[in-house]
Amino acid sequence: VQLVESGGGLVQPGGSLRLSCAASGFTFSSYAMGWFRQAPGKEREFVAGITWRGRMTSYVDSVKGRFTISRDNAKNTVYLQMNSLKPEDTAVYYCAADSVGGSIRRGTDDFSSWGQGTQVTVSS
C-alpha cells in the first residue's frame, strides 16, 4: 500500500492550493479516503473525508465552505481543493485510507494506511 501526497507549498492568506494523493497497492475504489493535518505541537486532526464512490463527503467545521474533497477512481487519486486559505491552515497534510468504504470516519485509528505528508504554509 502506498499513498503519495503532492501539491503543498507556501501560499499567501486568501490563496488556493490543490493537494493530490496518488494511491497504489490496494483496491482504491473500495476505500473511503480522508485528509488530515497536523500543526506543530498539535494533534493530528481530521479535515475531510469521502466515501468510496464519492457520494458522501464530510468536513471539519473550520474548513467548511473553503475546502473540497474529491476523488477520481479511474486515476486512483484523491484531491483536496483548498481556497481562502488562512494562516491557521498551516500544517502538514496527510491522506489516509479507510477500508470501511461506505462511511466517513474521523478517528486516526480508523485509517489503516497513511501517506508521508505534504507541508502547507499560509503566510504573507
Side-chain angles (χ1 to χ4, degrees):
V1 174
Q2 188 171 23
L3 298 171
V4 180
E5 302 97 336
S6 62
L10 173 65
V11 63
Q12 292 186 343
S16 298
L17 283 174
R18 188 175 85 151
L19 305 183
S20 299
C21 173
S24 61
F26 65 106
T27 307
F28 178 77
S29 58
S30 296
Y31 280 64
M33 298 298 295
W35 284 98
F36 289 73
R37 65 187 179 188
Q38 187 166 20
K42 294 188 176 181
E43 293 187 352
R44 191 171 298 190
E45 68 166 346
F46 172 87
V47 175
I50 188 167
T51 51
W52 56 349
R53 295 180 181 175
R55 292 179 179 176
M56 289 196 299
T57 59
S58 181
Y59 302 89
V60 69
D61 286 348
S62 60
V63 308
K64 283 181 180 177
R66 300 188 298 122
F67 290 11
T68 302
I69 187 171
S70 62
R71 66 189 297 160
D72 184 339
N73 286 346
K75 295 183 178 179
N76 285 359
T77 302
V78 62
Y79 305 97
L80 185 68
Q81 178 67 43
M82 305 186 296
N83 298 329
S84 302
L85 282 161
K86 304 176 181 180
E88 51 263 43
D89 295 318
T90 296
V92 177
Y93 283 71
Y94 300 88
C95 71
D98 181 358
S99 61
V100 181
S103 298
I104 299 173
R105 302 191 290 179
R106 298 189 172 205
T108 55
D109 290 345
D110 297 324
F111 289 76
S112 54
S113 299
W114 293 82
Q116 82 289 348
T118 186
Q119 177 70 47
V120 171
T121 302
V122 184
S123 176
S124 55

